[in-house]
Amino acid sequence: MASFAQTWSLLSLILQIIMFSGNAKTLTITNNCSYTVWPAIATTSGTGSTNDSGFLLREGQSNVVAVSTEWTGRVWGRTLCSTNQSTGNFSCQTGDCTTGNIQCNSSYVKPATLAEFSLSQTNINEDFYDVSVVHGYNLPLSVAPNVDSAPECTATGCVFDLQKSCQLAELRVVSKTNNSIIIGCKSPCDVFGTDQFCCNSSVSDCQRSNFSLGSSIFKRPCPRAVSYALDDDTDTFTCDDSRTSSYNITFCPSAAMSRLLSTPASQALQPAFAPKPDTLSPTTNSKTKPTHQNLPGNISKGKVHTALLVAFPTAAGVLIFVLVGIYLCISKRKAIEKFSGKSHFRLYIMVEY
């Protein structure tokens, strides 16, 4: 029998979908971590579910949240949350919403691994999504469109080894009860605050040595995640909004997904603010696109046709010659055997030697 929590979650989802009158997309949020996570949802535009702006997920639990098809917002996880017995104030050590309640709003305490969405962009009909560690990292997180076959609708996320990769002491967030346990890693930009570490004013800032040191903290282990301000042009992904009506958001994704997220995406898709390639005007000095006929090393169709005309008669002649030779050899052997009265075995010995 389904638990009360599961039954209430299902009823809540049905009510949400009815509320959106069929124009809804769903976010399936799953906790695969070995500890409790308190997901939070913040809506920037469109219609989200205010009843599910903050909730609890124990290990192995999932919750399905409906949002409007043109929803923009973010999802993140809070960890090490508790309620103060004397004040009744609810708070979390990472990703806290500062509301004092399990319900959330648009604000969060850094660091927090963010799943960001901008669904069904006007006049584009594409969903844009990313996983951002611009403001630090507190949880392994993946986002994957729920589609059967659409290579461009790829998964993204970040699975980060806090003990191994967050080596700078200034960036570490430690547990309030045990300062030897690292529970998060701050962004170098948030800690040091310079343009060189933030790379948010010009591309030249991204090329300085101290920025390379800061950006490598997240970019190397999480090549698909947005890790600094000017990074979203390569790590913001798109999916045609007609291909999927749901997204899977997973805390502590599987080992197979983690391996996928540790490799760069095969295609870097355009962000929301970038012009689409088919709207760009061709330049006057653009080169002719290479074709099969003018690529080096390729032969034209005429040459192929000529080669085939020569090859087939030649091959047929060789085959006829071989068959005639075999026939003559067999006939000669039979004649010799008949004449000498020798056995087939003796004839074979004689011929061999």
Side-chain angles (χ1 to χ4, degrees), residues 147-194:
V147 292
D148 293 329
S149 59
E152 71 279 9
C153 301
T154 187
T156 185
C158 181
V159 178
F160 187 79
D161 188 336
L162 285 167
Q163 303 294 328
K164 179 180 178 180
S165 300
C166 193
Q167 297 179 352
L168 295 179
E170 298 92 334
L171 305 182
R172 296 175 183 170
V173 179
V174 298
S175 170
K176 293 179 179 179
T177 58
N178 188 343
N179 59 14
S180 66
I181 300 178
I182 305 174
I183 61 174
C185 192
K186 299 176 184 178
S187 162
C189 175
D190 289 339
V191 172
F192 302 111
T194 64

Side-chain angles (χ1 to χ4, degrees), residues 327-353:
Y327 173 77
L328 292 176
C329 289
I330 293 174
S331 298
K332 184 177 181 181
R333 179 178 297 180
K334 288 182 178 179
I336 293 174
E337 183 176 353
K338 181 177 180 181
F339 176 78
S340 62
K342 305 293 184 181
S343 68
H344 181 73
F345 175 77
R346 292 288 301 242
L347 178 60
Y348 174 77
I349 296 295
M350 181 183 70
V351 172
E352 289 293 315
Y353 290 91

Side-chain angles (χ1 to χ4, degrees), residues 68-89:
S68 63
T69 54
E70 296 183 357
W71 181 76
T72 298
R74 56 171 58 101
V75 179
W76 70 97
R78 297 167 287 176
T79 65
L80 300 171
C81 302
S82 61
T83 300
N84 188 297
Q85 296 300 320
S86 59
T87 64
N89 185 61

Side-chain angles (χ1 to χ4, degrees), residues 74-137:
R74 56 171 58 101
V75 179
W76 70 97
R78 297 167 287 176
T79 65
L80 300 171
C81 302
S82 61
T83 300
N84 188 297
Q85 296 300 320
S86 59
T87 64
N89 185 61
F90 177 85
S91 62
C92 305
Q93 292 190 38
T94 70
D96 188 53
C97 296
T98 69
T99 61
N101 300 304
I102 193 171
Q103 299 300 316
C104 209
N105 55 26
S106 60
S107 64
Y108 56 90
V109 174
K110 306 168 187 177
T113 315
L114 305 174
E116 301 177 317
F117 295 87
S118 185
L119 305 179
S120 302
Q121 289 293 294
T122 304
N123 299 325
I124 299 179
N125 297 324
E126 287 183 332
D127 294 345
F128 292 83
Y129 58 96
D130 67 65
V131 169
S132 171
V133 290
V134 171
H135 296 301
Y137 172 95

Side-chain angles (χ1 to χ4, degrees), residues 279-302:
T279 63
L280 297 176
S281 301
T283 56
T284 55
N285 60 350
S286 59
K287 297 181 179 180
T288 302
K289 181 180 178 180
T291 62
H292 177 80
Q293 286 76 12
N294 60 28
L295 284 176
N298 287 333
I299 57 177
S300 66
K301 292 182 180 179

Side-chain angles (χ1 to χ4, degrees), residues 1-8 10:
M1 181 178 292
S3 67
F4 174 79
Q6 292 173 325
T7 303
W8 176 252
L10 178 60

Side-chain angles (χ1 to χ4, degrees), residues 29-79:
I29 306 173
T30 303
N31 177 23
N32 282 342
C33 302
S34 58
Y35 46 86
T36 299
V37 175
W38 285 259
I41 303 174
T43 298
T44 304
S45 65
T47 304
S49 176
T50 56
N51 293 330
D52 287 321
S53 61
F55 50 92
L56 177 151
L57 283 182
R58 293 187 174 87
E59 178 183 359
Q61 288 186 333
S62 296
N63 193 8
V64 181
V65 177
V67 296
S68 63
T69 54
E70 296 183 357
W71 181 76
T72 298
R74 56 171 58 101
V75 179
W76 70 97
R78 297 167 287 176
T79 65

